[in-house]
């Protein structure tokens, strides 16, 4: 009889729950639960992906040199200090595997992305949660939660699922204040939705303790391809590359990402559409009695009066074929996260929430 057991920490992991994609009775539901781009990827990215299908026998390059060069050109970065992963999730996993183990602490904020906890536990490290203030990261609380055991401090800016953002000056204060034994990881999954924002790449350039992660899953519409990247000091990228599998990113994903990052006009178009409908939806929900914080991402965190009301609205939306994200697992049981869809999706969701609220009050 085997007595083998998972490594410490593994059984403490609550498996990640993805946004639902089916609704009872709706045969073509509208999925607004995973922050996907309703416009899809750039047509050039799709074409590049399909082209690779003609040569599936060929291994992808292991150094990702082409894609790193293109990312560097577009964002004004040093290609040698970029690492590509199967989604930015994989870069987060590399960071935890490389820098945190048993006895070490991994810090993130109260409503932070659930992969930070999962990756920390998978590495055998101890997750530590810093409280937020009004659903917004609080740098003083994060600094207070640091200890000599802190190795990684994760901050998504803008954050998912709250959509809130803290200013660069606050992020710089955090980078300067964490212990010398720790690294600040700035998760820029939604950076492209903020006009003119570099995802704190500038901070990476001026400090030796900051890493930035980015993804092709959100504004670039390539969630299904699984590709993301990280940017950091040379010594850190070198360490991460040692744990990275040589063929961790598929040839098709590399090709699609390369085309996507170069189609700047399409990205600009997606950013503008998202900003327009985000503002529209936020105002409409507020008129219906459902407030939300100003969001800097491609979703809105709609706040209800009670968890029961949020759950009832979720069920009502599902009955209309509209799938949004229950965020009770993020300590936000009174809220629903709604991805900004296309115009029709936004109009449908606004109409359905309004009908629900009128019914709820009747
Ligand atoms: C979606 C998301 C990611 C990126 O996930 P991928 O693995 O790149 O698809 C990372 N961080 C946050 C906060 C996210 O919301």
């Amino acid at each position: 009889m085997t007595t083998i057991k998972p490594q410490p920490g593994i059984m403490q992991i609550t498996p990640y729950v993805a946004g639902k994609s089916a609704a009872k009775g709706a045969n073509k539901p509208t999925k607004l639960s995973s922050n996907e781009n309703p416009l899809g990827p750039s047509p050039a990215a799709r074409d590049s992906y399909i082209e690779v299908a003609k040569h599936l026998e060929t291994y992808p390059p292991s150094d990702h040199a082409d894609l790193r060069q293109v990312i560097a050109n577009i964002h004004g970065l040093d290609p040698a200090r970029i690492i590509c992963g199967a989604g930015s999730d994989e870069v987060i996993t590399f960071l935890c595997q490389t820098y945190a183990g048993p006895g070490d602490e991994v810090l993130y904020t109260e409503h932070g992305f659930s992969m930070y906890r999962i990756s920390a536990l998978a590495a055998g490290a101890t997750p530590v949660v810093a409280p937020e203030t009004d659903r917004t990261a609080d740098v003083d609380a994060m600094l207070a939660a640091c200890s000599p055991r802190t190795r990684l401090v994760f901050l998504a800016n803008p954050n998912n699922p709250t959509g809130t953002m803290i200013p660069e000056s606050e992020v710089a204060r955090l980078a300067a204040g964490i212990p010398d034994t720790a690294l600040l990881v700035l998760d820029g999954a939604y950076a492209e939705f903020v006009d003119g924002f570099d995802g704190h790449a500038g901070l990476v350039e001026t400090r030796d303790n900051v890493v930035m992660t980015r993804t092709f899953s959100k504004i670039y519409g390539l969630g299904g391809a699984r590709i993301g990247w990280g940017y950091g000091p040379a010594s850190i990228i070198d360490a991460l590359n040692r744990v990275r599998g040589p063929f961790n990113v598929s040839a098709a994903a590399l090709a699609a990402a390369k085309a996507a990052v170069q189609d700047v006009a399409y990205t600009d178009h997606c950013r503008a559409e998202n900003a327009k409908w985000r503002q529209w939806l936020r105002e409409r929900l507020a008129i219906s009695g459902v407030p939300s914080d100003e969001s800097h991402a491609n979703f809105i965190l709609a706040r209800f009066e009670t968890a029961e009301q949020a759950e009832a609205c979720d069920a009502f939306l599902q009955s209309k074929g509209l799938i949004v994200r229950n965020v009770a697992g993020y300590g936000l049981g009174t809220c629903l996260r709604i991805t900004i869809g296309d115009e029709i999706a936004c109009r449908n969701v606004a109409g359905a929430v309004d009908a629900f609220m009128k019914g709820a009050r009747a």
Side-chain angles (χ1 to χ4, degrees):
M1 235 332 223
T2 180
T3 57
I4 193 162
K5 282 201 192 103
Q7 289 290 314
I10 302 291
M11 297 313 289
Q12 280 169 262
I13 296 173
T14 307
Y16 185 87
V17 182
K20 277 197 285 277
S21 52
K24 236 192 253 160
N27 54 15
K28 243 192 137 252
T30 305
K31 188 181 175 201
L32 304 171
S33 56
S34 296
N35 300 340
E36 292 151 341
N37 184 340
L39 308 177
S42 149
R46 193 182 285 116
D47 290 348
S48 299
Y49 191 97
I50 291 167
E51 191 57 32
V52 172
K54 297 174 185 165
H55 304 283
L56 285 181
E57 67 284 3
T58 313
Y59 266 100
S62 63
D63 62 4
H64 311 146
D66 278 9
L67 177 60
R68 289 189 293 105
Q69 186 62 58
V70 167
I71 291 171
N73 294 346
I74 296 291
H75 295 284
L77 306 175
D78 173 3
R81 292 190 283 128
I82 294 173
I83 181 170
C84 300
S88 51
D89 281 356
E90 195 186 29
V91 181
I92 292 168
T93 302
F94 293 157
L95 282 159
C96 288
Q97 198 183 342
T98 305
Y99 291 106
D104 296 333
E105 294 175 354
V106 174
L107 178 68
Y108 50 88
T109 64
E110 186 180 353
H111 307 301
F113 187 45
S114 58
M115 284 310 296
Y116 308 149
R117 179 184 172 82
I118 291 175
S119 294
L121 287 169
T126 305
V128 177
V129 181
E132 297 185 9
T133 301
D134 296 334
R135 297 166 299 278
T136 307
D138 179 331
V139 167
D140 289 317
M142 293 178 81
L143 291 173
C146 284
S147 87
R149 293 170 176 243
T150 307
R151 296 292 170 265
L152 295 166
V153 178
F154 283 101
L155 173 69
N157 205 34
N159 185 51
N160 171 24
T162 56
T164 58
M165 194 174 179
I166 62 172
E168 170 100 5
S169 56
E170 280 295 277
V171 178
R173 192 162 72 83
L174 180 62
I178 61 171
D180 286 347
T181 52
L183 203 58
L184 175 62
V185 182
L186 298 171
D187 182 336
Y190 301 94
E192 295 84 1
F193 291 103
V194 181
D195 209 4
F197 178 45
D198 70 353
H200 301 301
L203 208 55
V204 176
E205 300 293 9
T206 57
R207 299 201 56 93
D208 65 0
N209 66 343
V210 180
V211 173
M212 169 179 80
T213 62
R214 302 284 284 263
T215 184
F216 284 97
S217 302
K218 304 289 159 60
I219 207 168
Y220 295 106
L222 291 171
R226 307 307 305 132
I227 182 153
W229 53 284
Y231 188 61
S235 61
I236 288 162
I237 298 303
D238 171 56
L240 301 183
N241 268 321
R242 289 165 199 258
V243 303
R244 178 177 70 80
F247 307 111
N248 62 320
V249 179
S250 76
L254 287 166
K258 195 175 146 191
V261 75
Q262 288 177 285
D263 196 346
V264 174
Y266 186 79
T267 308
D268 289 345
H269 170 67
C270 294
R271 179 187 308 107
E273 282 295 298
N274 177 71
K276 173 176 162 189
W277 291 104
R278 180 179 64 197
Q279 176 68 13
W280 182 89
L281 184 61
R282 182 177 183 223
E283 284 167 13
R284 288 293 300 264
L285 294 185
I287 292 167
S288 303
V290 179
S292 57
D293 298 313
E294 185 188 359
S295 169
H296 299 273
N298 65 340
F299 54 83
I300 277 176
L301 186 69
R303 298 203 304 274
F304 293 83
E305 282 152 33
T306 62
E308 292 68 37
Q309 192 185 42
E311 276 165 35
C313 186
D314 189 11
F316 182 78
L317 291 173
Q318 267 190 64
S319 76
K320 304 278 174 209
L322 296 163
I323 306 172
V324 301
R325 187 75 138 101
N326 171 312
V327 281
Y330 283 92
L332 294 163
T334 61
C335 302
L336 295 175
R337 192 193 69 191
I338 307 172
T339 301
I340 307 304
D342 60 13
E343 172 173 354
I344 292 169
C346 287
R347 289 189 187 279
N348 286 344
V349 91
V353 169
D354 192 58
F356 170 81
M357 292 304 285
K358 284 188 172 131
R361 287 182 201 287

